[in-house]
Amino acid sequence: MRLSILPTCAPLVLALICASPRAQTPPVPENVVHLEAVAVVDVLQDVLAIQLAVTREGVDPVQVQAQLKAVLDQALAEARRSAEPGAMEVRTGQFAVGPRHGRDGRIAGWQGTAELVLEGKDPARIGQVAGRLPQMSLTGVQFRLSREAREQAERDAQAQAVARYRSKAAELAKGFGFGGYTLREVTVQRQEPGLPPRPRAMAMEARSASADAPVPVEAGRTAVQVTVSGSVQLR
């Protein structure tokens, strides 16, 4: 005969297991309403960027590079005379020289490009300076919002969206016969739609402008949107 002897602590362990509370399912929230409020602020784009470029070709890459540098140096000197922080700032863009291949795949010559960018909050000044650089062709015009203008527009839109969200919540609480509400969760999303294609059309017009004539530019408007969404508990 074989006897099995249980450890003396087994009853205690069993008692602890039996005494442990069961996991409780959290109560399902009641009288919860999900809603959304959207506010859009239309604001004038206040920063203009004009991009100009010069191209040169030749059989000697060193000579092509020297020609590009000469034109760029002259343009920089002219533009810097009218530069002012915030109003118009000047910076260089791409500067590259690469081979140009013939039909047989061999190098037939060299081509290079140098870019200059005028950017700031004074469109009239930028357009006039761009018109005084006849050796450089206008390749792009773009308006955008400055960081300060975008942040201010976002604050305005956010305040409007929050006010509309609270108004909607109060109306719903009253409509369902409740005295008020409390916030459960809220999400705030900011969005700025893409820029319109109008600056590209203006750039095409400006290419045919006569030398020393100001580049015609006109700022557009953009919309900054803020969406407030979430849920409230009606009380």
Side-chain angles (χ1 to χ4, degrees), residues 121-205:
K121 295 184 178 181
D122 191 343
R125 180 187 310 202
I126 295 173
Q128 290 175 356
V129 173
R132 295 201 302 265
L133 306 177
Q135 295 192 67
M136 304 198 75
S137 302
L138 193 150
T139 58
V141 178
Q142 185 180 55
F143 278 96
R144 64 175 178 83
L145 281 181
S146 65
R147 183 179 61 183
E148 299 81 10
R150 184 178 64 254
E151 291 177 350
Q152 182 60 50
E154 288 178 350
R155 286 192 293 267
D156 295 342
Q158 178 175 290
Q160 295 178 22
V162 169
R164 293 176 183 176
Y165 187 91
R166 296 178 61 183
S167 177
K168 282 186 176 182
E171 290 177 3
L172 287 172
K174 183 179 179 181
F176 283 109
F178 292 87
Y181 67 91
T182 57
L183 294 175
R184 285 178 55 85
E185 58 181 12
V186 176
T187 301
V188 179
Q189 296 179 332
R190 300 173 179 85
Q191 178 183 2
E192 180 183 341
L195 297 177
R198 185 178 181 183
R200 181 175 294 276
M202 291 192 304
M204 297 297 290
E205 288 183 17

Side-chain angles (χ1 to χ4, degrees), residues 22-226:
R22 295 182 179 180
Q24 297 181 356
T25 303
V28 179
E30 298 180 351
N31 305 325
V32 175
V33 178
H34 298 271
L35 64 154
E36 177 182 282
V38 179
V40 179
V41 173
D42 190 46
V43 61
L44 185 70
Q45 297 165 340
D46 60 338
V47 175
L48 167 64
I50 289 184
Q51 181 176 310
L52 304 106
V54 56
T55 59
R56 290 290 185 270
E57 295 184 1
V59 295
D60 183 1
V62 177
Q63 184 179 7
V64 172
Q65 179 176 323
Q67 293 175 354
L68 292 174
K69 184 178 182 300
V71 175
L72 186 60
D73 286 343
Q74 183 179 356
L76 277 171
E78 175 65 29
R80 284 170 178 165
R81 284 199 288 265
S82 301
E84 181 181 345
M88 190 192 79
E89 299 181 1
V90 183
R91 71 175 188 271
T92 56
Q94 179 185 10
F95 191 111
V97 177
R100 180 169 49 83
H101 296 85
R103 295 182 178 180
D104 56 358
R106 297 182 179 182
I107 296 178
W110 295 83
Q111 183 177 28
T113 302
E115 295 178 345
L116 181 67
V117 180
L118 311 177
E119 185 175 18
K121 295 184 178 181
D122 191 343
R125 180 187 310 202
I126 295 173
Q128 290 175 356
V129 173
R132 295 201 302 265
L133 306 177
Q135 295 192 67
M136 304 198 75
S137 302
L138 193 150
T139 58
V141 178
Q142 185 180 55
F143 278 96
R144 64 175 178 83
L145 281 181
S146 65
R147 183 179 61 183
E148 299 81 10
R150 184 178 64 254
E151 291 177 350
Q152 182 60 50
E154 288 178 350
R155 286 192 293 267
D156 295 342
Q158 178 175 290
Q160 295 178 22
V162 169
R164 293 176 183 176
Y165 187 91
R166 296 178 61 183
S167 177
K168 282 186 176 182
E171 290 177 3
L172 287 172
K174 183 179 179 181
F176 283 109
F178 292 87
Y181 67 91
T182 57
L183 294 175
R184 285 178 55 85
E185 58 181 12
V186 176
T187 301
V188 179
Q189 296 179 332
R190 300 173 179 85
Q191 178 183 2
E192 180 183 341
L195 297 177
R198 185 178 181 183
R200 181 175 294 276
M202 291 192 304
M204 297 297 290
E205 288 183 17
R207 292 189 185 198
S208 60
S210 60
D212 297 332
V215 174
V217 292
E218 181 180 355
R221 304 186 72 87
T222 189
V224 176
Q225 175 178 308
V226 174

